[in-house]
Amino acid sequence: MSRSRSESRQEQRPAGDETEVQTGAVPPGDGPAAATGGRRLALDVHGRLRTMILNGELPPGSVLLQAEMARKLGVSRTPMREAFRLLQEEGLIDARPDQRARVRAVDPEDLDAVYGARIMLETLAVSMTAKSFTTEDIERMSDVLKRMQDLVVDDQPDEWHAAHHEFHSIATQAVGPHLQRMIASLGEHSERYIRLAQLGAPASWGKAYAEHEALLDALRSSDPAEAARVVARHLARTALSVLADIAPEHEPAATRTALAIAGNGQH
């Protein structure tokens, strides 16, 4: 009896080729579990590099070599390539073909656009949140504010920024998930600018804490107009402070226009 074609093909494969065509078996390391694990590793590498950029360990203009960074972080080139791609999508690095990747310089137009959008969306969100703020929400927000005040920004920057993010998340919690994702994305994008503001004008953070307390008071009083005014001025002050330091010649049209619209207390 003649043998099947698949058997013939199996005999013709070179020695060492263990691909199991008949059963459809997947070689080790190429299955769904491996792909998921590789994705998690790439996201971990991305997070570590992102933190290094945001905290100034990798300052603007720094050259990033994939092989060198892979060795430094103890990973292979594959997750490093994916991490670079994600950083480029976020606008944190420039990684053009056939050129060395570099940490992007601070772009005043980007800063202005991000904060203009944040002012508009967060004033909407805090206005809605003020109408439904509960006693439990007040307690949560008070606890987070106390944590922020107890943390030393210079010594514990990551912990402080995590608390700061939580504070603003509670203040904007009443909007739907789509708007929450937009607000969170803008907040993450602006973290670099917040860190620059802390470096450029550390003495101004007493004012920032007073603004956080004022926002909590407005939410506690169920005052949408005051909550919107406070958050608009708070965000604008950060943006204008950084711009005054890095690009005093730049006119922050988006930030000032959003402040005029959203921060006038007319809601």
Side-chain angles (χ1 to χ4, degrees), residues 156-178:
Q156 300 164 289
D158 294 337
E159 292 85 350
W160 188 93
H161 282 279
H164 183 251
H165 175 74
E166 186 178 353
F167 182 89
H168 279 268
S169 295
I170 297 170
T172 57
Q173 66 185 9
V175 298
H178 182 63

Side-chain angles (χ1 to χ4, degrees), residues 2 25 40 80 102 115 137 158 168 201 207 236-238 243:
S2 62
R40 283 198 299 267
M80 189 59 64
R102 291 180 181 272
Y115 272 88
D137 294 328
D158 294 337
H168 279 268
K207 177 67 172 175
R237 192 177 59 77
T238 300
L243 282 171

Side-chain angles (χ1 to χ4, degrees), residues 135-145 166 170 173:
T135 301
E136 291 76 13
D137 294 328
I138 293 170
E139 291 176 356
R140 285 173 56 219
M141 202 167 177
S142 298
D143 289 343
V144 175
L145 182 59
E166 186 178 353
I170 297 170
Q173 66 185 9

Side-chain angles (χ1 to χ4, degrees), residues 174-225:
V175 298
H178 182 63
L179 271 180
Q180 284 183 3
R181 286 192 295 271
M182 293 173 65
I183 291 170
S185 177
L186 289 168
E188 290 175 0
H189 191 92
S190 63
E191 184 176 329
R192 187 185 194 190
Y193 303 131
I194 295 172
R195 291 181 187 252
L196 285 173
Q198 291 169 336
L199 292 172
S204 69
W205 286 93
K207 177 67 172 175
Y209 284 126
E211 291 167 350
H212 287 124
E213 290 174 343
L215 177 57
L216 176 57
D217 287 342
L219 293 171
R220 182 186 289 116
S221 302
S222 301
D223 189 339

Side-chain angles (χ1 to χ4, degrees), residues 27 32-33 45 66 83 87 97 107 113-114 122 138 159 163 182 197 207 209 211-212 231-232 234 241 255 259 261 266:
V45 172
Q66 285 190 16
L87 291 169
D107 182 351
V114 166
E122 291 198 32
I138 293 170
E159 292 85 350
M182 293 173 65
K207 177 67 172 175
Y209 284 126
E211 291 167 350
H212 287 124
V231 81
H234 171 61
S241 173
T255 298
L259 178 61
I261 295 172
Q266 302 300 314

